[in-house]
Amino acid sequence: MAAVPGFPQAGRAKLADVAKLAGVSVGTASKALNGGGRMRPETRQRVLAAVEALDFRPNQHAQSLHTGRSWTVGLMTTDGIGRFSTPVLLGAEDALGAGKISVLLCDTRGDAIREQHHLRNLMDRRVDGIIVTGRRTDPRSPLTGIEPIPTVYALSPSVDPDDMSVVSDDRSGARLAVDHLLATGRTRIAHVTGPAHHAAARDRAQHTVELLEQSSLALSTGRVHFGEWSETWGRRAAETVLRAAPDTDAFFCGNDQIARGVADSLRENGVDVPGRVAVVGYDNWDVMALACRPPLTTIDMNLAEVGRQAALRLLDAIGGKPEPGVRTVPCRLVVRESS
Amino acid sequence: MAAVPGFPQAGRAKLADVAKLAGVSVGTASKALNGGGRMRPETRQRVLAAVEALDFRPNQHAQSLHTGRSWTVGLMTTDGIGRFSTPVLLGAEDALGAGKISVLLCDTRGDAIREQHHLRNLMDRRVDGIIVTGRRTDPRSPLTGIEPIPTVYALSPSVDPDDMSVVSDDRSGARLAVDHLLATGRTRIAHVTGPAHHAAARDRAQHTVELLEQSSLALSTGRVHFGEWSETWGRRAAETVLRAAPDTDAFFCGNDQIARGVADSLRENGVDVPGRVAVVGYDNWDVMALACRPPLTTIDMNLAEVGRQAALRLLDAIGGKPEPGVRTVPCRLVVRESS
DNA sequence: TTCCGGCAGAAAATCGTTTTCCCAAACGGG
DNA sequence: CCCGTTTGGGAAAACGATTTTCTGCCGGAA
């Protein structure tokens, strides 16, 4: 690391400098670094010593120009980087970083123009691959005009089943919640969730109904309560449910905000949670789940794992082993005091 | 865009192909593209037409190799990508994207080893600049070993005053809150905030006290209530305050979680908000502020603007016009129904 | 002594641009 | 008609690595 007389300052040495210091040619120096070619061990040592002395770091632009690889993947998020895409993003970054690959961030803000713009940019940079993530679990139309670049869709799958997608397993989430409630003796379960035009709400609701049927049960109110993903809706829905089916002994909610609204409403109406009624949320969003009174039992989608899986599949595809299709990541039940 | 016989398929044409199709030399083709050199308009047109026909896009690796610029900046976040760094990040991406610069994401998870690792990576990639953001407003020690690379610290300033930093103006935040409360007739103000070892809590508290003094007022309880950034603490503190100073007519809280806790506690104790007591939060975190009953008046730190300013300063520095020092971004008062 | 195989390492080609230098033709003024 | 001065455009040298090809040189065998 110490400055060597006659050579450029540390950090900006080029391979030619290393070669000169070691008394060999550039080609030989390169071979010494990259394993390859035959050479006297002593020569290799000299080169390695020179690398050390000059703190040489290869110029990645030169490498990329030669190999055509950028050791970079694009990460496109469609919703500003929200509560859902963030953990996915971190999981992906984690898995990629291990492989010396960096992440180029692109936020489309849900705008198709911006998406095309970023796409051009990523192609110009010759990224090795692309991960696309969205806020919702609704399928999205695939990116266009990226023929040769491996792409993985995370969280929001592509509508094309031949694309690679990694999603959270809504069915497993519903199963964990329902099984947990049944196992703790609840049989009169209500389901309050978000808007019916969201796949997440529809799918979880459908699975819930099916799972109850398998135990010869039905929803306590006879129907799913679709609404919004908000506490306000949770509070309103709780009252509706209690009026329609006063013997309801559990709420399975489509997300933690709704669940918290439900819990607040129950408490304020003097209904004991979990004594008389259990509440289970979805998302394991800590600020909601932990601040809730009582703290929420909830379903964790393992979003970081979704991101990690997406990254791993992308690496496979970059390595020439693409596995088309949708892969699901199972959820996890987090039991707290509301059930 | 249509395939031209005898030429590689669209998207992978090189400048040599363009030149051949236009009947000029590579150098001339380059000049035609980049404005420069003198040439007959007709020749330039021929080149441009060829570019169009072949859908030519310059190889950025080649450009970067030649110019030494990567048109990329590193964005290091120290805390996963949390609630605070996300808007900063988006603001920065927005400002940089306009300048054809892409963002390379690095998350250190607060780990020094990882930080060094990412730093090496960024230097190897010859990024044009670096933006460092953190979760807290406490000053952080500057990055080491990046001598020649322009760096801007966002949200968490560098302890070295000669570095470039962009932070939220805590003083303006406190002023907006206090002035608003005074203007609406409140004079017995309590201040509940986070841990005293957080600069954000200390600074806002200090400014609040100073501002009150300027109006010959003091805190209703005679002291600042330091605690945690949580709803639980907000609820506890509200009761403490009401017991110590029952004539308190306003709470200014260090963040929206605390404010929500305070509001909840007041409501449950039958204290009318905003009728008898006003509540003002800090952060304008929508899920908290909007879900609160009543919706919270709060201070917005304009974090996206912090990110944007950081990006702009970085661009200036990259362009050779660095302006060392700390720059502050003023806050914004968002009035809702809690005051 | 001659020839050949093997090996260490040098030299050169390559990746795709940008940029500098240089040459030829055209042009204008005296 | 001749000599500068523009002008348009080509050739070639960077940029910094990797990879392929080529050249000595040595030892051993015929």
Side-chain angles (χ1 to χ4, degrees), chain A residues 39-96:
Chain A
M39 62 197 321
R40 274 210 300 278
E42 175 224 324
T43 308
R44 186 183 303 270
Q45 280 313 315
R46 275 216 316 283
V47 173
L48 261 31
V51 164
E52 195 71 17
L54 297 174
D55 191 25
F56 166 76
R57 324 232 70 210
N59 182 321
Q60 287 213 5
H61 295 139
Q63 290 182 316
S64 292
L65 173 57
H66 187 262
T67 62
R69 286 200 58 177
S70 61
W71 300 95
T72 290
V73 315
L75 207 152
M76 303 234 333
T77 80
T78 60
D79 69 325
I81 299 170
R83 181 153 56 87
F84 297 113
S85 37
T86 300
V88 174
L89 197 159
L90 290 178
E93 200 247 6
D94 191 44
L96 293 169

Side-chain angles (χ1 to χ4, degrees), chain A residues 105-336:
Chain A
L105 191 64
C106 302
D107 177 26
T108 68
R109 290 168 178 63
D111 176 8
I113 306 282
R114 221 183 277 259
E115 180 170 304
Q116 276 305 313
H117 172 254
H118 276 130
L119 224 45
R120 300 286 279 197
N121 188 358
L122 290 180
M123 297 192 57
D124 288 354
R125 288 178 185 275
R126 305 287 201 274
V127 293
D128 297 335
I130 299 178
I131 294 180
V132 183
T133 111
R135 169 182 38 189
R136 315 223 321 227
T137 61
D138 299 73
R140 55 155 292 153
S141 52
L143 263 35
T144 58
I146 46 163
E147 292 297 335
I149 303 184
T151 303
V152 175
Y153 298 81
L155 207 53
S156 305
S158 163
V159 292
D160 181 345
D162 289 338
D163 285 336
M164 293 187 285
S165 302
V166 177
V167 302
S168 169
D169 183 2
D170 268 333
R171 173 173 288 275
S172 89
R175 175 181 300 279
L176 284 167
V178 170
D179 284 357
H180 170 67
L181 288 174
L182 295 180
T184 53
R186 317 287 176 165
T187 55
R188 302 289 296 158
I189 301 174
H191 187 56
V192 180
T193 189
H197 60 86
H198 277 200
R202 269 198 323 275
D203 294 347
R204 290 168 197 168
Q206 186 194 331
H207 295 146
T208 302
V209 170
E210 288 173 7
L211 290 164
L212 285 176
E213 278 172 0
Q214 287 172 17
S215 300
S216 307
L217 290 172
L219 290 169
S220 72
T221 56
R223 66 181 184 92
V224 173
H225 298 263
F226 289 106
E228 308 163 14
W229 299 116
S230 71
E231 295 183 50
T232 307
W233 163 242
R235 290 195 294 267
R236 268 219 331 270
E239 294 179 4
T240 309
V241 167
L242 284 191
R243 213 173 306 120
D247 61 344
T248 296
D249 59 10
F251 282 78
F252 173 32
C253 303
N255 79 357
D256 287 341
Q257 282 170 279
I258 295 174
R260 180 169 181 184
V262 167
D264 278 349
S265 174
L266 293 176
R267 177 165 34 77
E268 287 165 13
N269 285 304
V271 177
D272 182 41
V273 176
R276 207 183 105 197
V277 173
V279 178
V280 173
Y282 208 107
D283 289 349
N284 193 26
W285 186 15
D286 51 2
V287 280
M288 282 297 145
L290 294 176
C292 186
R293 286 175 286 169
L296 278 177
T297 292
T298 185
I299 303 296
D300 189 310
M301 292 195 278
N302 286 322
L303 291 179
E305 183 61 20
V306 170
R308 193 187 325 280
Q309 290 293 333
L312 293 179
R313 290 189 76 179
L314 187 62
L315 289 176
D316 283 347
I318 292 172
K321 309 233 172 303
E323 280 184 33
V326 178
R327 183 182 298 178
T328 60
V329 172
C331 297
R332 188 163 51 90
L333 176 73
V334 179
V335 180
R336 296 205 183 83

Side-chain angles (χ1 to χ4, degrees), chain B residues 10 19 21 34 37 40 46 73 107-108 125 142 161 188 191 201 206 214 217 221-222 271 278 283 290 294 319:
Chain B
L21 182 57
N34 305 322
R40 273 209 301 278
R46 274 215 318 283
V73 315
D107 177 24
T108 69
R125 289 178 184 274
R188 302 288 297 159
H191 186 56
Q206 184 193 334
Q214 288 172 16
L217 291 172
T221 56
V271 178
D283 289 349
L290 294 176

Side-chain angles (χ1 to χ4, degrees), chain B residues 316-331:
Chain B
D316 283 348
I318 292 172
K321 310 230 171 308
E323 281 184 31
V326 177
R327 182 182 298 176
T328 59
V329 172
C331 297

